Amino acid sequence: MASMFEVLAEPRRREILDLLRGRERPVGDLVDRLSLTQPAVSKHLKVLREAGLVEVRQDAQRRWYRLRVQPLVELDEWLAPYRRMWEAGFDALERHLDSEGDD
């Protein structure tokens, strides 16, 4: 199985997640909004489903996909220490630039 970063590296998969962020959608709606073929969208959805980022429910002949936030929460928690490191660096840069302007 692909790593979460490999899954999210594909721009079309991120577009799908963006579309699902607001509400669940049927495959046909994703096809229309992405201007991709149904097989291409289904391939991306399969990868997202296997990574645990989306789940599907069957409603008669339609398959509805929705975002699963838990894997993204886990990724965000893993990134938190790095974010604090970046923010500390930006804060130091801002202080430096402010002190340069005082001269």
Side-chain angles (χ1 to χ4, degrees):
M1 186 167 100
S3 77
M4 186 67 64
F5 291 111
E6 290 172 311
V7 171
L8 294 173
E10 165 56 51
R12 291 301 197 165
R13 291 188 202 125
R14 292 193 310 270
E15 284 183 67
I16 290 169
L17 293 178
D18 288 343
L19 289 169
L20 295 176
R21 189 175 50 213
R23 63 180 174 90
E24 71 177 0
R25 296 177 183 272
V27 175
D29 185 48
L30 295 171
V31 168
D32 292 342
R33 291 180 173 274
L34 296 167
S35 299
L36 292 174
T37 65
Q38 189 276 327
V41 171
S42 292
K43 179 181 171 186
H44 288 305
L45 287 168
K46 180 181 179 193
V47 172
L48 291 167
R49 193 176 65 248
E50 288 174 350
L53 289 165
V54 299
E55 57 189 12
V56 63
R57 74 175 173 87
Q58 188 81 30
D59 181 26
Q61 298 297 325
R62 299 177 100 182
R63 292 175 152 271
W64 290 77
Y65 284 84
R66 71 176 151 248
L67 182 65
R68 287 193 65 245
V69 296
Q70 188 56 38
L72 296 171
V73 169
E74 292 169 7
L75 181 61
D76 183 60
E77 289 171 355
W78 183 82
L79 287 169
Y82 300 97
R83 189 177 307 108
R84 285 190 296 272
M85 180 183 69
W86 298 324
E87 289 169 356
F90 289 137
D91 290 344
L93 176 61
E94 182 178 22
R95 285 190 301 275
H96 173 74
L97 293 173
D98 286 345
S99 69
E100 291 282 315
D102 293 339
D103 293 337

